[in-house]
Amino acid sequence: MKVLPFAGAALAALLVLSPAAQAHKRWLLPSHTVVSDTQWITVDTTASNDIFYVDMPFPLDGLSVTGPDGEPAEVDNRLQGHRRSVFDVNLNQQGSYRITLVRPLYVSLYQLDGERQHRRGGSPQELREALPEGAEDVRISEVIGRLETFATVGAPNTKALAPSGKGLELDALTHPNDLYDSEAARFRFLVDGEPLSGLEVEVMPAGTRYRDSQEAWTVTTDDDGEVTLEWPHAGRYYLEANHGDDRVENDQADSRRLQYMATFEVLPL
């Protein structure tokens, strides 16, 4: 897999595009992750400084929910409010659901009067046409952000969890709705269906508003693209990983930035 060196301007692009370098993180938060009977659940999505506290709404374009049979599940009551976006998911079958929100976009990065600037939105051609006079060292980056969470009715199954083979994805070797505070979980990370070694994965427990430190920790994928996560206690956790390369879908883009963000609930044993 070819990876960009990200020297000079490309390093600046990495810092601009990475959620880790931004104040606000993005996440999906389901009202329930494990239930015994079929029912509706509600899912919030927002961008915020404090993990799992609402702040800014996030568009629901690109939302998909895959049911235990591998088919799309029913979604209702989509709403983008002033502080959060929300939708309901019908868990009407036994088994596991994958809730995914994919947001592709393009970003132009350039030097203007000695300062690094960036602009989001539009196609690569539109971004190039909108560059201000005097822009130098121009790069167009293709950014694909994937937000995910999971829910299960009764016994978990894995049909909905199958990776698509596109972008940065989680291959759950341990089922994401079978996590306990006394047991380690094993996840594999893939890029375009291939295991990715050397990927840094950040994990953070909920409740950042009420403590002095984020208490986040970072693990790195091994040669097989795998990490082991040991949960310090029960509760909800935010996971984030970022990867850059030049495997763009649009040949007018110079680089690609892949982001994966997920919410897990760890249960007491």
Side-chain angles (χ1 to χ4, degrees):
M1 180 176 296
K2 184 177 180 182
V3 179
L4 291 177
F6 285 113
L11 176 59
L14 173 66
L15 295 176
V16 169
L17 298 177
S18 169
Q22 300 173 2
H24 291 83
K25 296 182 181 294
R26 295 165 287 157
W27 39 263
L28 294 165
L29 185 66
S31 59
H32 303 73
T33 59
V34 179
V35 295
S36 57
D37 299 313
T38 57
Q39 59 191 270
W40 287 88
I41 64 170
T42 293
V43 183
D44 290 334
T45 181
T46 188
S48 67
N49 289 307
D50 297 317
I51 293 300
F52 306 141
Y53 293 94
V54 300
D55 191 0
M56 298 187 300
F58 195 71
L60 295 177
D61 301 337
L63 172 66
S64 66
V65 181
T66 306
D69 56 359
E71 298 297 321
E74 182 182 6
V75 176
D76 198 8
N77 297 324
R78 302 183 190 217
L79 171 68
Q80 182 172 322
H82 293 288
R83 285 287 189 178
R84 63 183 172 187
S85 299
V86 64
F87 56 93
D88 296 331
V89 178
N90 190 5
L91 307 185
N92 60 0
Q93 302 178 56
Q94 296 284 316
S96 302
Y97 294 73
R98 183 179 67 184
I99 304 167
T100 304
L101 183 56
V102 178
R103 291 282 295 168
L105 74 152
Y106 292 94
V107 180
S108 63
L109 300 111
Y110 54 91
Q111 200 82 15
L112 183 66
D113 297 329
E115 294 185 1
R116 197 68 186 165
Q117 307 285 339
H118 74 279
R119 179 175 298 183
R120 300 169 181 266
S123 67
Q125 181 178 352
E126 290 170 335
L127 286 170
R128 292 187 189 279
E129 292 173 351
L131 289 168
E133 185 176 351
E136 300 178 334
D137 194 16
V138 177
R139 296 182 62 83
I140 304 295
S141 185
E142 185 177 85
V143 183
I144 303 174
R146 177 184 294 270
L147 285 71
E148 283 192 333
T149 193
F150 308 87
T152 292
V153 181
N157 74 332
T158 59
K159 193 163 188 178
L161 309 186
S164 69
K166 295 182 179 180
L168 179 57
E169 295 183 281
L170 174 75
D171 183 13
L173 305 180
T174 301
H175 196 286
N177 292 135
D178 195 23
L179 306 177
Y180 296 92
D181 64 351
S182 59
E183 298 179 355
R186 193 76 177 162
F187 294 151
R188 178 188 293 124
F189 287 86
L190 310 174
V191 169
D192 297 334
E194 303 172 7
L196 179 64
S197 63
L199 177 71
E200 292 189 350
V201 180
E202 182 186 62
V203 186
M204 184 185 305
T208 56
R209 178 181 293 186
Y210 302 110
R211 57 179 184 258
D212 294 333
S213 65
Q214 292 189 332
E215 297 183 4
W217 74 94
T218 301
V219 292
T220 303
T221 57
D222 62 18
D223 291 343
D224 297 318
E226 298 180 15
V227 296
T228 298
L229 298 178
E230 297 183 359
W231 315 103
H233 52 75
R236 287 166 166 155
Y237 287 81
Y238 170 84
L239 179 149
E240 175 185 322
N242 299 275
H243 171 72
D245 61 29
D246 63 356
R247 297 167 63 170
V248 296
E249 292 187 9
N250 190 314
D251 58 10
Q252 294 189 51
D254 302 300
S255 62
R256 180 176 72 161
R257 190 71 195 159
L258 302 174
Q259 307 167 342
Y260 183 84
M261 295 146 280
T263 300
F264 303 99
E265 186 171 34
V266 176
L267 302 174
L269 190 63

